[in-house]
Amino acid sequence: MCGIFGFHARARLSLDAELSASTDLLTHRGPDGRGTFAARSPDGEWQVGLGHRRLSILDIEGSPQPMHSHDGRYTIVYNGEIYNYIELRAELVERGHRFATQGDTEVLIEAWRAWGEDCFPRFNGMFAFLLWDNRTGRLIAARDPFGKKPLFVARAEGAHVFALEIEPLRKFPGVDDRLDQDSLREYLSYRYVPGPATFFRGIAKVPPGTFMALDGDRVSATRYFTTPFSRTTPDITNFDEALRLFSDRLDAAVQLRLRSDAPFGAYLSGGLDSSMIVALMSRHMDKPVSTFSVGFDVPGSSELPYAKQVADAFGTDHHELAVGMNEFTSVWEEAVLRRGAPVAEPSDLPVLLLSKMASRSVKMVLTGEGADELLGGYPKHRAEPWVALYQRLVPGALHDAVIAPGARALPYALRRVKTVAGVAGIRDHQVRMAAWFGGGDAELARALYAGPPASRAIDPLPFTADGAASALKRMLHFDQTSWLPDNLLERGDRMMMAGSIEGRMPFMDVGLAELVARFPDAFLTGAPKGKRVLRTLAARMLPQTIVTRKKVGFRVPVEQWFRTGMADQMRDLLQSGDATVRQVCNAGEIDRLMSEHLGGRQNHEKLLWALANLEQFFRIFRPAMG
């Protein structure tokens, strides 16, 4: 795990100072080492600058970066892990390739030398890298299939600039960091900005599963991976066979991610997904797993007792962190700064606090992220297959005039009914996918936006799954190409790396996704709580109280905090006279949401959190509005 920065620019530009300063803005991602590299293309017209901050996990003493190939042709800066580097190294040695180190970075270089762009399907891992060819003057920028590792690109005068976070790009001369109005509008619907856009006009995300090639004036982008759920016909129809294959593949994914030369552990929530990861880790380790759990000091809002049950069952070296409101708010601004955007979910902040604690004893953790988006674990996954029937039976006018307003008026205790009733009648697939996560009220999201109409179409990829076998598979395709890379995996990377912790996610194994895409829907959502194949496996390995308990999710008690100790802070963020959010959003709607929530008439925690974070973003980054 590391921080990388780089540029490809006209040779006439003087950028030495920017290379050094921008690299050091990523020190929190790599406190163990630093290096920079600068060179010119063979024709002298172009220059490259590469910067690296290192968090040492593999080959701790032997793989400094920027790394040069043994013949000096290639130079790389790289963030991530190629988990199957040992197997790839052996294959490359058989082909005659030479190695001077024991880590995965040099394997990546030689894999590119051997196979070019065909190397990507061979990698099992997470990565973002910049690879410079000193012989041809060509720069390759690449990102892993699911987008576990971030990579941003900015266009400046005579230059393309890359970094793992937004802040170094904003400080680079000539980058347009004005507010992108379309992204603001999309944020109010999605509660995150769907890629490749960001909140800044001149900064974009390199899409997951994509590599860019920069060769002089020529710039190209090639997508080498799309989710298997958009292109796979289910062909494994025997559940026992599916369970066996799934068990073997998940176990292998966990075992492969235990490769580390630094101390490591696991984040344990007490839910099904992280508990299974800990159970499988325990199979392959000759000492207790170090587990780390975070909860809250509000009665009924903490899963720490469940995490302790799992820790006791597997004899882990367990560490707990109980977060109160003051600790929570103390890292709010830092979380927004590291995210480079409003923090979409309150759970980002306790993950940041937990990472700071865990980094005192480990450098890497395995986590359970991605299981719901792979296996259909949310209520929306069970509801979406019924939407077509609902829309055939209920005319759109009836839904819009009666059912949707009625759902809006329901008490929050019926929040899942509110969401399903509000979303099911949305005929537009794109709007509906956003509404499932955005809180279910697309009309309210539109009412909040006070800016100009959209001038840019949203990337169609998450909504294009013509080869998907079902409505569920289309939704999972959306989750894996939008919600995961642009929100959940961003949290996993940014909040963990802000605490100098690497996070590895076995459920985000490409081979596991390829396997699960071959299962019929009934093997996923064919259980009352979803994730049938995982639940069946868990019943054989975990305490029954963990398998059968109600899914809670990682819920931070902001509903109560907004009404109590955070009320004045929320009023300052959303109702003070100088609040930027009141200029770009409908102030009357903001006041209505605040009044209903603080008065206990409705729970608007999702939208109020989104709006408060938008204001935090404006205060920290102060983007120009032009």
Side-chain angles (χ1 to χ4, degrees):
M1 279 305 155
C2 306
I4 65 174
F5 171 83
F7 59 76
H8 179 264
R10 290 285 183 182
R12 57 180 167 77
L13 300 176
S14 178
L15 299 173
D16 290 347
E18 280 74 17
L19 176 58
S20 181
S22 298
T23 299
D24 287 341
L25 286 173
L26 297 169
T27 299
H28 59 280
R29 296 187 68 99
D32 297 335
R34 177 187 188 278
T36 59
F37 167 80
R40 294 202 174 194
S41 60
D43 62 8
E45 295 294 318
W46 295 86
Q47 62 175 317
V48 67
L50 303 176
H52 186 262
R53 295 290 322 200
R54 188 180 187 202
L55 179 67
S56 303
I57 303 291
L58 292 173
D59 195 18
I60 292 173
E61 300 298 330
S63 295
Q65 295 187 43
M67 178 177 285
H68 310 286
S69 61
H70 63 83
D71 59 357
R73 176 173 179 176
Y74 297 106
T75 302
I76 193 172
V77 288
Y78 155 55
N79 171 47
E81 305 287 354
I82 305 298
Y83 304 126
N84 62 333
Y85 75 99
I86 294 175
E87 292 78 7
L88 289 174
R89 189 178 192 274
E91 183 177 354
L92 289 163
V93 167
E94 286 187 5
R95 294 171 59 102
H97 291 255
R98 295 166 48 193
F99 290 88
T101 66
Q102 298 301 313
D104 59 337
T105 307
E106 194 176 14
V107 170
L108 198 158
I109 295 174
E110 295 304 313
W112 179 265
R113 186 199 302 273
W115 300 301
E117 64 188 69
D118 291 333
C119 69
F120 294 113
R122 296 172 178 267
F123 295 152
N124 187 336
M126 54 183 180
F127 54 84
F129 68 80
L130 303 174
L131 178 70
W132 171 251
D133 188 331
N134 287 283
R135 183 181 301 172
T136 64
R138 188 178 187 226
L139 179 68
I140 301 297
R143 193 175 177 202
D144 67 67
F146 281 119
K148 293 190 286 287
K149 292 290 98 188
L151 187 60
F152 296 94
V153 58
R155 184 79 172 92
E157 180 64 32
H160 281 84
V161 196
F162 297 88
L164 293 184
E165 295 185 6
I166 282 177
E167 189 62 7
L169 302 180
R170 291 187 67 234
K171 296 183 181 298
F172 196 88
V175 170
D176 184 356
D177 67 347
R178 289 175 294 170
L179 179 71
D180 185 292
Q181 285 286 345
D182 283 338
S183 293
L184 172 61
R185 178 181 57 82
E186 291 159 8
Y187 171 76
L188 293 173
S189 294
Y190 287 73
R191 292 197 291 117
Y192 62 90
V193 177
T198 72
F199 264 101
F200 303 98
R201 288 189 187 182
I203 302 175
K205 304 167 187 174
V206 175
T210 297
F211 73 91
M212 295 178 63
L214 294 84
D215 188 357
D217 285 319
R218 297 183 298 277
V219 180
S220 64
T222 303
R223 185 178 291 275
Y224 66 84
F225 175 84
T226 58
T227 168
F229 290 83
S230 66
R231 52 179 166 80
T232 303
T233 300
D235 63 352
I236 300 175
T237 57
N238 181 279
F239 183 75
D240 289 337
E241 179 190 7
L243 182 62
R244 177 183 59 80
L245 292 170
F246 177 80
S247 175
D248 290 347
R249 186 71 207 201
L250 180 60
D251 185 68
V254 169
Q255 186 175 13
L256 199 62
R257 284 159 179 79
L258 299 181
R259 290 176 172 174
S260 174
D261 295 327
F264 62 88
Y267 283 175
L268 176 61
S269 71
L272 189 71
D273 310 330
S274 63
S275 299
M276 277 299 298
I277 297 303
V278 170
L280 292 169
M281 290 175 71
S282 299
R283 283 182 173 181
H284 302 292
M285 295 178 59
D286 55 7
K287 62 180 181 179
V289 179
S290 294
T291 52
F292 303 88
S293 301
V294 61
F296 308 99
D297 63 3
V298 176
S301 296
S302 181
E303 293 190 287
L304 287 176
Y306 295 108
K308 184 67 163 57
Q309 286 183 30
V310 177
D312 289 345
F314 293 98
T316 73
D317 177 18
H318 192 53
H319 309 263
E320 294 183 347
L321 176 66
V323 173
M325 185 190 68
N326 291 335
E327 291 87 357
F328 177 83
T329 57
S330 70
V331 295
W332 193 355
E333 293 183 10
E334 180 183 359
V336 174
L337 174 65
R338 296 306 178 207
R339 190 84 181 239
V343 172
E345 285 288 288
S347 53
D348 283 35
L349 276 62
V351 170
L352 172 55
L353 287 163
L354 185 66
S355 298
K356 289 176 179 287
M357 181 188 83
S359 67
R360 299 173 195 150
S361 55
V362 300
K363 287 192 174 184
M364 179 270 283
V365 293
L366 272 64
T367 78
E369 268 98 347
D372 289 310
E373 294 78 11
L374 179 71
L375 299 166
Y378 294 128
K380 69 175 186 177
H381 294 130
R382 300 189 290 281
E384 176 68 15
W386 296 97
V387 165
L389 176 61
Y390 175 86
Q391 294 182 357
R392 285 198 300 270
L393 296 175
V394 179
L398 176 62
H399 174 87
D400 295 341
V402 178
I403 296 176
R408 197 173 297 131
L410 289 172
Y412 186 72
L414 301 174
R415 63 185 184 276
R416 289 181 177 171
V417 176
K418 285 168 65 76
T419 299
V420 172
V423 174
I426 300 175
R427 262 62 179 177
D428 187 311
H429 176 69
Q430 177 175 309
V431 175
R432 190 169 68 252
M433 290 301 101
W436 282 122
F437 175 71
D441 200 332
E443 196 64 40
L444 177 55
R446 286 192 288 268
L448 278 169
Y449 180 63
S455 61
R456 177 187 69 226
I458 289 182
D459 179 13
L461 177 69
F463 312 99
T464 306
D466 296 336
S470 65
L472 171 63
K473 297 294 177 62
R474 286 193 294 274
M475 174 173 271
L476 292 171
H477 168 78
F478 169 81
D479 288 346
Q480 293 167 22
T481 53
S482 182
W483 151 249
L484 268 175
D486 295 327
N487 189 35
L488 187 65
L489 296 179
E490 277 198 11
R491 176 187 78 185
D493 173 81
R494 231 67 97 247
M495 297 304 103
M496 292 184 201
M497 290 305 298
S500 298
I501 285 284
E502 172 186 317
R504 298 182 180 180
M505 304 165 187
F507 285 108
M508 289 283 88
D509 182 274
V510 170
L512 187 64
E514 297 277 2
L515 172 65
V516 172
R518 298 171 60 195
F519 295 170
D521 291 1
F523 294 0
L524 306 181
T525 54
K529 300 173 186 176
K531 298 187 288 193
R532 178 186 171 193
V533 67
L534 180 63
R535 289 188 182 280
T536 304
L537 180 62
R540 303 175 181 179
M541 300 182 63
L542 299 179
Q544 286 304 299
T545 53
I546 301 300
V547 178
T548 58
R549 78 180 183 92
K550 181 180 178 181
K551 181 180 176 65
V552 177
F554 193 11
R555 290 187 59 82
V556 182
V558 291
E559 175 192 358
Q560 299 96 310
W561 288 345
F562 286 173
R563 294 190 179 109
T564 55
M566 290 180 67
D568 287 343
Q569 185 177 17
M570 293 295 289
R571 290 189 184 99
D572 172 64
L573 288 167
L574 298 180
Q575 295 184 299
S576 61
D578 60 350
T580 304
V581 71
R582 298 180 68 83
Q583 301 170 29
V584 300
C585 295
N586 186 323
E589 284 295 315
I590 294 174
D591 291 339
R592 181 181 67 80
L593 294 171
M594 283 285 287
S595 175
E596 290 182 356
H597 188 94
L598 296 183
R601 296 187 298 279
Q602 282 286 353
N603 181 352
H604 294 303
E605 63 177 274
K606 282 190 174 184
L607 280 170
L608 290 177
W609 175 258
L611 291 165
N613 271 274
L614 185 60
E615 179 62 24
Q616 291 277 32
F617 168 79
F618 286 137
R619 294 185 182 189
I620 291 170
F621 289 95
R622 301 187 181 278
M625 298 292 174

